[in-house]
């Protein structure tokens, strides 16, 4: 369709593939050019079905637009049209391949952007067909982008299929909440319901792409277990109440008339909450006399929190990742945990940069990785090995040499150290697995020291929308808003659960799936005299132990701010109204504070909350370097088998766990325990059937899977699966025996 007439050329030439030359004269609207364009249009329509009235692409179809501009009013084609059988390529993308015009955009996307060539072309001419390799489904974490790229209705959204027409929907801006990137999205809304989510252009963050988790998670908003009315539990039975009754109950339990006070109250809040909700939540707890507030539900090591950065950030702008010459990622799987950060790292690798990993699992990558280490015991020893090799290159340090006594640097350690030192622009990044490791403080020291000695940036990949913003909001026990010291502070998340406090406030937390020590959380809730849960969903554990459930809005129904891993604040407004009596979380927190007679909760609008928060955080600048504590010694693994827990991308928070289409993909949590063949042989297991897993005195029968990606001595188990809640903490010694 881009044929143009070039003077002295014997025939029309494609403008997109013709180099510009000195003195060239190009005519784009001459009779010859227009006739050539119309001829191409006629060829495109020869086999295309005339099913626009039932096509989901109708109204936003590029072929429709071109046909209006260049098509004939009467077709001269009388032969039978080609028909192509539809293919099932997974739960996310619907195919109608008879409509395909062989542009091969989807094929090029897989090869050039996603890094996984899942679609290809077979046959020639009009007999060419686009499909997957031997009838496999698309499993890329970016697969939904082919829907936006397809110029016709050959590839459309399967969950959205036949649900609305383009011209019936209104478009609203939003921010995705499922990782620390803050991808920009558009909600397409009809009759007060989100019908689909598509990417909004933002070159500095998500460019024009969107991960499947961000695209399809909206289905979780309409789950059958959505909480729409406040509920009270009386005599073991739940009943629906109005908001006034619910607030009166909260006032009776937390007010001055005999309820738990001060340090007897603890608050746990999800890092997917908006910055304003995080700010009001910690303000509510502190107004009640308690500093027991935390968003770090999965963290296990808090020993260096007093010297931690004011807020953990990426260490450089997101867009700069693609310019790195080297990146060392410790304990992270960015392809599935931060897909669009991984896309930037892939571009760096393709331009010659080396992206290297230290992980207990050899994750599948979509780009050629640099020298990497499969850590067989724990991340500490192999990270220390890289530091040892770095010291050998740069010169010793007496204090570091003493700490690293007994640590050997192998060939791979030396290759990584050499690459980090020689890189013009380098970065050392801690991933989700390192952040929740029981040795997180040691890993922070080792990674930070490697970055300091090599001149690289040091940062955190970020697990949730407000993993950085929660620190700034003051949702940690030892610091107030803006990083000011809270004095003696309060209890962190794990200590709160160990203390078995009298009262707990939960905000969008499902303890059996969101906490790294679910048995500890369950025991704490069992003994509490008061559990107040602000939640968008009904949950079995909450229904058993909570005393009041307060329905709150989800991200497309809410307004507020997310602060992403590069420290960028992005505001979003509500696209739809929450269902039933559910209300925005910040409004619920404001009303609780008001009903308790606490000062400072009289806000007329969200803008007032944001203004107060901005004043409190003014002047805070990101700084990760030198924000760690040197350990006295390196912790060694003391068991033959260590449990390591990974949260699959579609099990990361309550909403994605309820998104029906996402739960049909491979990236979901299951209850299997994965070990490699060498470990299985050493334990006397044949790799089939089930095993009895024992951890912290708890026994659970689990399916066994042999996975050669897993390092020797490691048992990989998924997090975010309620069925595994009884087993024990996410990391630690575990034993397996034949069931």
């Amino acid at each position: 369709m881009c044929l143009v007439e070039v003077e002295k050329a014997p025939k029309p030439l494609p403008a997109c593939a013709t180099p510009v030359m000195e003195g060239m004269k190009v005519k784009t609207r001459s009779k010859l050019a227009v006739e050539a364009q119309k001829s191409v249009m006629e060829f495109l329509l020869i086999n295309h079905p005339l099913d626009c009235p039932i096509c989901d692409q109708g109204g936003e179809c590029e072929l429709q637009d071109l046909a209006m501009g260049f098509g004939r009013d009467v077709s001269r084609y009388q032969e039978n049209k080609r028909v192509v059988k539809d293919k099932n390529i997974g739960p996310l993308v619907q195919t109608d391949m008879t409509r395909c015009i062989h542009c091969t955009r989807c094929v090029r996307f897989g090869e050039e952007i996603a890094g996984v060539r899942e679609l290809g072309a077979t046959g020639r001419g009009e007999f060419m067909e686009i499909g997957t390799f031997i009838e496999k489904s698309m499993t890329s974490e970016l697969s939904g982008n082919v829907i936006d790229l397809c110029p016709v209705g050959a590839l459309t959204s399967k969950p959205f299929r036949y649900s609305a027409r383009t011209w019936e929907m209104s478009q609203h801006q939003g921010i995705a909440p499922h990782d620390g990137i803050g991808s920009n999205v558009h909600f397409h809304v009809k009759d007060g319901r989100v019908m689909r989510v598509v990417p909004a252009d933002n070159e500095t963050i998500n460019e024009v792409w969107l991960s499947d988790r961000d695209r399809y998670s909206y289905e979780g908003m309409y789950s059958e277990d959505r909480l729409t009315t406040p509920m009270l539990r009386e005599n073991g039975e739940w009943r629906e109440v109005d908001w006034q009754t619910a607030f009166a109950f909260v006032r009776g339990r937390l007010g001055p008339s005999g309820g738990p006070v001060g340090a007897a109250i603890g608050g746990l809040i999800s890092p997917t909450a908006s910055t304003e909700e995080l700010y009001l939540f910690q303000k509510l707890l502190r107004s009640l006399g308690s500093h027991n507030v935390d968003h770090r539900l999965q963290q296990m090591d808090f020993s260096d929190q007093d010297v931690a950065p004011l807020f953990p950030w990426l260490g450089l702008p997101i867009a700069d990742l693609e310019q790195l010459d080297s990146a060392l990622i410790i304990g992270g799987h960015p392809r599935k945990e931060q897909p669009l950060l991984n896309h930037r790292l892939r571009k760096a690798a393709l331009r010659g940069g080396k992206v290297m990993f230290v992980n207990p699992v050899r994750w599948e990558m979509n780009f050629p990785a640099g020298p990497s280490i499969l850590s067989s015991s724990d991340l500490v020893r192999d990270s220390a090995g890289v530091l040892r090799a770095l010291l050998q290159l740069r010169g010793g340090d007496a204090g570091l040499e003493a700490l690293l006594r007994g640590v050997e640097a192998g060939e791979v350690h030396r290759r990584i150290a050499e690459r980090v030192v020689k890189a013009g622009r380098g970065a050392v990044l801690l991933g989700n697995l390192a952040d929740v490791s029981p040795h997180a403080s040691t890993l922070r020291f080792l990674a930070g020291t490697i970055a300091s000695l090599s001149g690289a940036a040091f940062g955190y990949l970020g697990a949730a929308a407000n993993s950085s913003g929660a620190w700034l909001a003051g949702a940690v026990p030892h610091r107030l808003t803006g990083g000011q010291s809270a004095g003696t502070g309060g209890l962190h998340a794990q200590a709160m659960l160990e203390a078995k406090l009298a009262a707990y406030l939960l905000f969008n937390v499902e303890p059996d799936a969101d906490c790294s020590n679910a048995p500890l959380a369950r025991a704490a809730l069992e003994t509490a005299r008061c559990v107040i849960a602000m939640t968008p969903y009904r949950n079995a554990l909450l229904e058993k132990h909570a005393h009041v459930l307060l329905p709150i809005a989800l991200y497309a129904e809410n307004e507020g701010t997310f602060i992403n891993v590069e420290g960028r604040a992005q505001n979003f407004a509500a696209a739809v109204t929450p269902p039933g009596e559910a209300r925005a979380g910040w409004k619920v927190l404001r009303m609780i504070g008001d009903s308790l007679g606490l000062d400072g909760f009289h806000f007329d609008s969200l803008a007032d909350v944001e203004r107060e928060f901005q004043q409190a955080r003014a002047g805070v600048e990101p700084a990760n370097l030198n924000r760690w504590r040197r350990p006295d010694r390196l912790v060694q693994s003391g068991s033959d088998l260590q449990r390591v827990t990974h949260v699959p991308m579609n099990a990361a928070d309550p909403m994605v766990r309820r998104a029906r289409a996402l739960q049909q993909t491979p990236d979901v949590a299951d209850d299997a325990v994965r070990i490699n063949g060498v470990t299985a042989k050493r334990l006397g297991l044949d790799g089939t059937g089930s095993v009895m897993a024992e951890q912290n005195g708890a026994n659970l029968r689990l399916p066994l899977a042999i996975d050669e990606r897993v390092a020797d001595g490691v048992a990989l188990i998924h997090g975010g699966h309620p069925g595994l809640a009884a087993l024990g903490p996410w990391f630690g010694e575990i034993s397996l025996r034949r069931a």
Side-chain angles (χ1 to χ4, degrees), residues 509-689:
V509 174
E510 295 183 333
D512 50 346
D514 292 329
C515 294
S516 61
N517 197 330
L520 189 64
R522 178 176 298 175
L525 298 184
E526 283 177 354
T527 58
R529 296 184 354 233
C530 176
V531 177
I532 299 168
M534 289 160 270
T535 173
Y537 300 106
R538 301 184 64 158
N539 168 273
L541 184 63
L542 294 179
E543 288 189 339
K544 184 176 181 181
H545 300 301
H547 298 88
V548 59
L549 301 177
L550 304 177
I552 57 175
L554 286 165
Y555 78 127
E557 306 156 352
N558 201 5
E559 55 183 335
T561 308
F562 289 141
I563 299 177
N564 70 2
V565 288
E566 67 176 10
R568 183 192 299 260
Q570 299 187 97
N571 299 93
F572 56 92
V576 294
T577 304
E581 294 298 314
R583 295 292 182 266
W586 72 270
K587 292 182 179 179
V588 175
L589 291 166
R590 178 194 64 182
M591 289 303 299
I592 291 177
D594 262 348
S595 67
L596 291 172
L598 303 176
D599 293 333
F601 283 86
H602 299 292
F603 298 104
D604 294 328
S605 67
L606 183 70
D608 295 336
V609 183
E610 184 181 5
R611 191 177 304 111
E612 184 174 294
F613 164 68
Q614 293 296 346
Q615 291 173 353
R617 65 157 285 194
V620 176
E621 295 294 333
N624 289 336
L625 289 175
N626 300 315
R627 300 287 184 168
W628 52 72
R629 177 178 290 125
R630 177 178 295 188
D632 296 329
R633 59 186 180 85
L634 297 183
V635 179
Q636 303 295 323
S637 173
S639 116
D640 291 335
L641 191 62
Q642 287 284 319
R643 173 182 175 177
V644 169
T645 300
H646 164 66
V647 181
M649 66 180 295
N650 295 331
D653 58 61
M655 186 162 66
V656 297
R657 290 195 289 267
R658 290 170 172 81
R660 184 170 50 191
L662 291 177
Q663 293 308 305
Q664 298 174 43
T665 68
D667 295 315
V668 295
D670 60 33
D671 59 350
V673 55
R674 292 169 170 80
I675 56 177
N676 67 20
V678 173
T679 301
K681 184 176 181 180
R682 186 172 67 250
L683 298 176
L685 304 172
D686 58 10
T688 59

Side-chain angles (χ1 to χ4, degrees), residues 164-178:
R165 307 299 292 172
T166 303
W167 52 87
E168 297 174 328
M169 298 185 290
S170 58
Q171 181 168 283
H172 304 264
Q173 189 82 15
I175 306 296
H178 305 299

Side-chain angles (χ1 to χ4, degrees), residues 39-264:
S39 296
V40 172
M41 188 71 241
E42 190 172 17
F43 280 120
L44 286 175
L45 292 175
I46 278 178
N47 279 311
H48 197 78
L50 300 177
D51 63 348
C52 299
I54 64 164
C55 178
D56 273 338
Q57 196 84 349
E60 54 185 5
C61 175
E62 294 178 43
L63 192 63
Q64 278 184 333
D65 296 339
L66 291 172
M68 286 295 294
F70 298 91
R72 300 176 184 271
D73 55 352
V74 176
S75 173
R76 298 185 293 173
Y77 189 73
Q78 302 298 323
E79 288 76 18
N80 291 331
K81 288 179 179 285
R82 177 198 61 172
V83 176
V84 180
K85 184 180 178 181
D86 289 339
K87 302 170 177 62
N88 182 7
I89 60 173
L92 306 180
V93 180
Q94 175 66 42
T95 62
D96 282 286
M97 301 313 294
T98 300
R99 300 172 183 156
C100 178
I101 62 170
H102 299 165
C103 70
T104 67
R105 287 185 187 178
C106 56
V107 178
R108 289 183 58 202
F109 170 80
E111 184 173 1
E112 298 174 18
I113 305 299
V116 183
R117 189 166 181 176
E118 297 178 298
L119 294 175
T122 56
R124 298 181 64 190
E126 70 170 345
F127 299 107
M128 187 174 84
E129 294 186 17
I130 302 294
T132 56
F133 178 63
I134 57 170
E135 301 298 322
K136 288 188 176 181
S137 64
M138 296 181 69
T139 59
S140 167
E141 62 283 353
L142 300 176
S143 66
N145 289 287
V146 299
I147 297 168
D148 306 322
L149 290 170
C150 185
V152 294
L155 300 172
T156 55
S157 171
K158 187 171 283 189
F160 172 73
R161 186 171 172 83
Y162 298 147
S163 59
R165 307 299 292 172
T166 303
W167 52 87
E168 297 174 328
M169 298 185 290
S170 58
Q171 181 168 283
H172 304 264
Q173 189 82 15
I175 306 296
H178 305 299
D179 53 37
I181 301 168
S183 297
N184 289 211
V185 301
H186 282 140
F187 301 113
H188 288 175
V189 176
K190 176 187 176 185
D191 297 333
R193 184 183 176 97
V194 175
M195 307 306 294
R196 66 178 176 183
V197 176
V198 298
D201 295 0
N202 190 323
E203 285 297 322
T204 59
I205 298 179
N206 59 299
E207 299 177 283
V208 297
W209 313 118
L210 197 61
S211 71
D212 290 347
R213 177 170 60 184
D214 292 336
R215 183 183 298 269
Y216 294 103
S217 63
Y218 73 90
E219 282 192 300
M221 295 169 57
Y222 305 107
S223 170
E224 294 179 356
D225 59 355
R226 187 71 194 272
L227 182 66
T228 59
T229 307
M231 301 187 72
L232 289 181
R233 181 162 63 93
E234 296 177 344
N235 300 321
E237 298 292 331
W238 285 99
R239 67 181 180 93
E240 297 182 353
V241 297
D242 56 31
W243 278 104
Q244 288 74 20
T245 304
F247 287 137
F249 177 87
V250 173
R251 186 166 57 249
R253 292 298 182 100
L254 296 182
S257 56
V261 294

